[in-house]
Structures are given as C-alpha cells and as structure tokens.
Amino acid sequence: MTVNNIILDTCFWRAIYDPKDDYYDSAQHISDIYVDKPAYKILVPYPTMYELLRTEFVKNKANINALDNFLKKECIEKVCDEPYRDRAIELSLNNNKRNLSIVDNLLRLMLEDTDLQIDGIVTFNVGDFIDVCKKRDIILINNRNY
C-alpha cells in the first residue's frame, strides 16, 4: 500500500484546538479524513510547534493534553527543520517578492525537497504555498476542499 505524506501548517493546529476559529469545522473534518488512516502519514514540522506552543496555548491544559495525545499517534512523524533553517532565514530577510515568515519559508523549502516525498499540505493560507504545490504536484488540503 502506498502511504501518502501529508504535512501540516500551523493554521491547522490553531483551528483544530479553537472552536472560535473560522476554520475549526474544516480542521475537524480534515482530521477525521486523514488522521489515523493507514494510507496517510502526518508530517509535523517542528517550526509549526514553535508557533503553536506560545504562552496563551500552553496555559490551556485541555489543549495541551489533546495535542500531546495527537502527537503520540502512530501516524505522526515529526520533521526536523535543521537542513532548511539558514535558507529560510535568508528568504525571510531578503526576499523582496514575498514577505513570508520563517516558518512559511521553512515549509516551502520542505515542500520543494523531493527527499521528503510530500503528497499534500493542510493549510488555510493557500496563497503562501500554491506555486510550489503546483510545481511539485502537491495537493492543497484546506477549507475550500471541505
């Protein structure tokens, strides 16, 4: 069986743990489809955790427990950002065409890396990734799909 690698953007994490988030229902539905399914491996880049685990998030024990349980699932694989850091910093500081955060630049570099074999990305910020996804034939999974 072919396993599809799905990478998660930070906006997914924010949405799935905040019922007031505009994308909460979409995030729940996406999770139901892809998480704990044998055909999918969920890739979690460490930088998305840096963005998510800010003070206001870690103060909510229910969210922390839910995230901890989520990250322990067999389908989850954490992805190290070390090979992409320097280039992502350079892009964030010096790319006049795009004003993207270091995390978005790291994700874009991961999407471009053919060794990671990414088949899809869950993001609600389609414009930040659409060009690289089209180039690599990576599926954009977002609120427009669900």
Side-chain angles (χ1 to χ4, degrees):
M1 171 177 40
T2 301
V3 175
N4 296 292
N5 296 321
I6 308 294
I7 198 164
L8 302 176
D9 189 5
T10 309
C11 56
F12 168 82
W13 295 113
R14 288 186 186 130
I16 201 162
Y17 294 113
D18 183 0
K20 295 176 187 170
D21 191 286
D22 291 342
Y23 302 109
Y24 176 80
D25 291 334
S26 294
Q28 297 297 320
H29 190 68
I30 290 167
S31 179
D32 290 344
I33 292 171
Y34 295 101
V35 176
D36 288 332
K37 304 297 189 273
Y40 301 103
K41 183 185 332 174
I42 307 300
L43 305 178
V44 179
Y46 278 96
T48 64
M49 293 293 96
Y50 303 147
E51 279 190 320
L52 179 67
L53 295 173
R54 297 184 324 251
T55 303
E56 58 272 8
F57 187 88
V58 298
K59 285 182 181 179
N60 184 319
K61 290 299 178 194
N63 282 350
I64 289 296
N65 290 335
L67 177 62
D68 187 38
N69 289 331
F70 193 104
L71 293 174
K72 289 178 180 173
K73 292 179 180 285
E74 197 171 309
C75 65
I76 300 296
E77 181 179 317
K78 296 176 188 105
V79 181
C80 180
D81 62 315
E82 196 276 329
Y84 314 99
R85 288 179 194 161
D86 290 337
R87 181 72 179 128
I89 289 171
E90 182 183 320
L91 288 169
S92 293
L93 295 175
N94 299 312
N95 189 341
N96 295 330
K97 296 177 197 168
R98 299 191 92 121
N99 295 318
L100 296 175
S101 72
I102 188 171
V103 175
D104 287 343
N105 279 313
L106 280 161
L107 289 176
R108 288 177 57 81
L109 292 168
M110 288 177 179
L111 292 169
E112 290 173 353
D113 186 349
T114 55
D115 290 336
L116 285 180
Q117 300 174 357
I118 297 169
D119 302 294
I121 179 172
V122 176
T123 185
F124 304 121
N125 300 314
V126 173
D128 292 346
F129 305 101
I130 194 166
D131 60 321
V132 69
C133 288
K134 282 184 179 181
K135 183 170 135 183
R136 291 262 345 273
D137 200 26
I138 295 171
I139 299 167
L140 281 159
I141 303 164
N142 58 69
N143 58 305
R144 295 176 189 157
N145 305 101
Y146 303 102

